[in-house]
Amino acid sequence: MPDIIALLPDSVANQIAAGEVIQRPASVVKELVENAIDAGATQISVIIKDAGRTLIQVIDNGKGMSETDARMSFERHATSKIKRAEDLFDIRTMGFRGEALASIAAVAEVVLRTKRQEDELGTEINIAASEVLGQTPVSCATGTNFMVKNLFYNIPVRRKFLKTDNYEFKLIVFELQKVALAFPHIQFELRNGNTEVLKLYTSPFRQRIIQLFGKNINQSLVDVNCETSIIKITGYITKPDVAKKSQPDQFFFVNNRYMRHPILHKAIIKAYEKILLPELQPSYFICFTIDPANIDVNIHPVKTEIKFFDEQAVWQILHATVKESLGKFSIVPSIDFEIDRSVEIPVLSRATDVNLPQIDIDATFDPFKPEQKKSVSVRADFSSHSRSLPNNWQDLYSGFENEPKTELRIPNFEPVENKGADDVQVSKQQQFLQVKNKYILTPSKSGLLLIDQRRAHLRILFEQYLENIEKSANAVQKEIFPQVVELSPADHELIMEYSAAINQAGFDIQDFGQNSVVVNGFPAALEQANPQKLVDDLLAELHHAPSQSGTSVKETIALALSKASAIPYGRALGSEEMSDLIDKLFACKNHNYCPEGKTILTIINIEELENKLK
Ligand code: ADP
Ligand code: MG
């Protein structure tokens, strides 16, 4: 067998989504395990010590490498998986950028042992901080054995960013769950020190889910199955009765690659609408099979975001399939399939008209209209009018006196069409009671609505900040007398790393040399913010950022900013303010949970009230 690894020409290398591949031990695990899969391994063992700080070892029984390839594999843009730019649109392997091993070898001490079946002797290479320390023939098993020791030993700042062992190890387990689900025919083993954490035998997909998430999940799994000319969808969703409030197990795979896809996630959640309380989430394990020419995997450095060229059609098909599965298993007594019928005809193509998915977008919203533009900017004062779906929350009250009390056990906060002026008038007289300067209490159709004032405001601000950052809308900014804030080298690096997004959100923070920054302005919403405290708050959040993928950076910053500016507990609110706050809350995409996942509101229904006074 000839050598197979070659350097990508610059023209191809330049088209590769650049970014940091190795952020933490879990990223090393991901890259090495993916390489083992690409090498055709049927058994992969992962051995971890000290949450990956001292050792990450991945052993596979794949095809191994020749002596020359072993050496080549550590070069940047050296890969056996693609050769030309066209190949980027026909990716059938997990890797293709030839960057992972180079990146790992740059930040750790690596020992590679590898042997092909046809070779008598294998090759051992020792490399540390990108420097080859030695290469010798060894006798070893066919396959590849990577030992990555003392990760980030030469970049103390990075090492300092790592979180607790517990947290880092959890992320490693999550990485393994993802590949183990994507490749149920491969055997996996995970050891943490001397403890065996996972031992997964070859199994069908359903069995693999059970191996990973426990026997109990078995009876709640519902088959999802659909094949159309553009995509095949298989997998499982869970019955509504096992839906969870936090940390549901939700997995999407595209051609065996795990992906995050908030929009397709919505297609599933929408299918559960009306049968699930809005604060509950189903688990799902959905696999898409699609011609690689119809997706782009190369949009994200760690390849967890994938673009479907026909996203609307995929959305429709997924939504309809999930709905159908829920219906078929009589989980939903009566479902209205009217809208979805069209997608049962499996001949969609890019040119075909598809019903637009119902995504919550205010079609009348025009960011360029001056009076609306205000809404994209962040305002803390409650009197300004935001992009609210006017008054929909007030439907909660309308006519609650005549409502039979047994009805409406499930709070339904769906936007309903605007009520006439009379209704609005009636609900404007709605009574609000502030309890302990912390909660807002108000009658609703089915009982009493109880809202946490700070969490509600956190949610409102969070969505506004996020929108600003995402749209790069220049948030209203208040200039202040420039103030220099001194930081530790690590904090300085952290702030500078995120400075683009921070400034998009309305800050003006610039590098001031010698580990300090200068704050020239901040979002107008932050009335009396103290720059030092703001930067501290921001850093506290950034330190907790789970990863540096595009979305989470934006969310982290939006969260940090909202926490720094949300109304605190203990602040007395007037009726107008409370009304406005609730109005804006119900205009949010999610009014049930604050961005930190805590419950914002609850309904104490009439029955509960009656029971209390029995
Ligand atoms: P990529 O996976 O994007 O090609 P990597 O830096 O991860 O880039 O790996 C470089 C090359 O090294 C791969 O293309 C492959 O040929 C080879 N390689 C890496 N890991 C293994 C392995 N476990 N078994 C066999 N070959 C491997
Ligand atoms: Mg790779």
Side-chain angles (χ1 to χ4, degrees), residues 30-32 34-36 38 79 81 94-101 303:
K30 171 181 192 282
E31 294 299 334
L32 294 183
E34 287 188 353
N35 279 345
D38 286 342
T79 182
K81 300 170 194 175
M94 303 298 287
F96 56 83
R97 294 173 177 156
E99 279 187 320
L101 294 185
K303 297 172 283 197

Side-chain angles (χ1 to χ4, degrees), residues 4-6 31-41 58-60 62-65 69-70 72-82 93-104 112 114 143-146 303:
I4 54 175
I5 302 183
E31 294 299 334
L32 294 183
V33 170
E34 287 188 353
N35 279 345
I37 290 169
D38 286 342
V58 176
I59 307 167
D60 70 54
K63 66 182 177 194
M65 286 179 262
D69 281 348
M72 265 306 267
S73 69
F74 291 104
E75 292 296 322
R76 186 154 226 119
H77 300 309
T79 182
S80 56
K81 300 170 194 175
I82 63 170
T93 47
M94 303 298 287
F96 56 83
R97 294 173 177 156
E99 279 187 320
L101 294 185
S103 309
I104 294 170
L112 159 67
T114 186
T144 300
N145 180 340
F146 269 104
K303 297 172 283 197

Side-chain angles (χ1 to χ4, degrees), residues 319-393:
H319 177 66
T321 309
V322 170
K323 236 174 151 174
E324 197 188 348
S325 293
L326 287 170
K328 217 189 282 167
F329 291 84
S330 319
I331 292 158
V332 196
S334 62
I335 292 181
D336 177 9
F337 278 103
E338 233 149 44
I339 324 161
D340 307 313
R341 273 274 136 79
S342 59
V343 295
E344 282 175 20
I345 308 156
V347 280
L348 286 170
S349 76
R350 227 168 285 181
T352 321
D353 261 353
V354 199
N355 283 342
L356 273 180
Q358 310 271 307
I359 302 174
D360 292 335
I361 286 172
D362 177 358
T364 61
F365 178 67
D366 176 355
F368 300 106
K369 277 202 188 149
E371 73 277 16
Q372 285 178 331
K373 200 161 186 178
K374 251 199 246 163
S375 67
V376 213
S377 64
V378 177
R379 304 287 301 252
D381 70 297
F382 300 131
S383 52
S384 77
H385 243 291
S386 77
R387 179 176 64 105
S388 52
L389 299 167
N391 305 320
N392 67 58
W393 61 276

Side-chain angles (χ1 to χ4, degrees), residues 214-286:
K215 274 199 209 102
N216 286 345
I217 201 169
N218 190 24
Q219 70 266 23
S220 54
L221 293 176
V222 176
D223 243 312
V224 171
N225 213 320
C226 167
E227 190 158 2
T228 71
S229 57
I230 55 169
I231 198 159
K232 184 174 151 197
I233 304 178
T234 55
Y236 299 93
I237 51 175
T238 53
K239 293 180 188 165
D241 54 344
V242 295
K244 294 187 188 174
K245 249 195 179 152
S246 66
Q247 302 197 314
D249 301 306
Q250 299 175 330
F251 294 86
F252 278 133
F253 301 96
V254 183
N255 299 346
N256 302 97
R257 188 191 299 282
Y258 170 83
M259 81 164 173
R260 288 190 57 225
H261 207 300
I263 296 175
L264 292 180
H265 166 78
K266 243 187 152 174
I268 295 192
I269 298 306
K270 214 162 162 61
Y272 279 85
E273 202 170 56
K274 307 249 159 58
I275 57 168
L276 210 52
L277 287 165
E279 65 265 34
L280 293 176
Q281 295 254 334
S283 293
Y284 57 75
F285 309 88
I286 300 286

